[in-house]
Amino acid sequence: MKALIIAIDGPAAAGKGTLAVALAQHLGLPHLDTGLLYRAVGRLMLLEGRDCEGDDASDVAARLQPSDLKRDDLRLPEVDRAASLVAAQPAVRAALLQRQRDFAAAHGAVMDGRDIGTAVFPDADIKLFVTASAHARAVRRYQQYHGHDPSAAEISQLKAEIEARDHIDSARSVSPLKRAEDAILIETDDLTPDQVLARALDIVARHPKMTAENR
Ligand code: CDP
């Protein structure tokens, strides 16, 4: 496999993480969930009692260790919000940029996040923008966190939180969440994870780097 870089961007709980893991496994490529970088920065800021919105978090970003990304407390609701807030700080994004580029330098990668196709790898070989309605994303996130279906009230609360985070991610001045012009849109509302993977594999198979390899 030639070093292929696949960028997968999209809003919270759209299914990009699930797709990225499966795609990387199928293609034998390294995978980086870039959201974990921002989650780890947010988590460490909370542990240090600092304000994720008002305090500069770039020192935390600069000293992130690989073990910080393996913490088991990164996927909690308070960290969802903390991650979004530190991710809106330009100095934090700058501190994490080279680390993300280095990750893919040797062997290519599947990278998922918000700005991979627009800022981290604007020249990525393949760009996918994975999205779903806020309702579907709220249901999925609830099932992921609790293992069972939410009530109507729980859906509406989670939907409001997801929409608030979408707003912070899309409205920030630096590297906002947006679909790159050349990204292929995959709407996952009515697709199973296997169907999303099949669609992505089909897109990858038609890429010139892959067809040249199979000749
Ligand atoms: O899993 P989920 O989609 O909810 O979030 P995530 O991918 O773990 O990302 C957590 C937060 O980090 C997002 O809400 C963004 O604010 C931020 N993020 C970002 O700004 N840029 C990225 N490349 C990845 C995540």
Side-chain angles (χ1 to χ4, degrees), residues 8-17 33-39 74-75 79-88 93 96 100 111-116 120 137 141 144-145 162 165-166 168-170 172 174-177:
I8 305 181
D9 291 307
K16 56 189 189 310
D33 170 358
T34 63
L36 287 181
L37 299 168
Y38 298 94
R39 286 178 179 275
L74 298 182
R75 296 208 171 272
V79 184
D80 288 352
R81 186 175 155 74
S84 253
L85 292 174
V86 297
R93 306 198 74 84
L96 296 174
Q100 296 175 74
M111 314 252 299
D112 69 284
R114 300 290 188 286
D115 64 338
I116 310 303
V120 180
R137 293 188 286 126
R141 184 49 46 99
Q144 181 189 352
Y145 281 166
I162 281 183
R165 195 143 65 93
D166 286 352
I168 300 176
D169 290 349
S170 310
R172 67 183 175 220
V174 60
S175 298
L177 166 66

Side-chain angles (χ1 to χ4, degrees), residues 189-204:
D189 277 82
D190 301 320
L191 299 178
T192 65
D194 282 350
Q195 288 171 325
V196 177
L197 174 63
R199 202 166 282 194
L201 284 171
D202 192 48
I203 293 164
V204 173

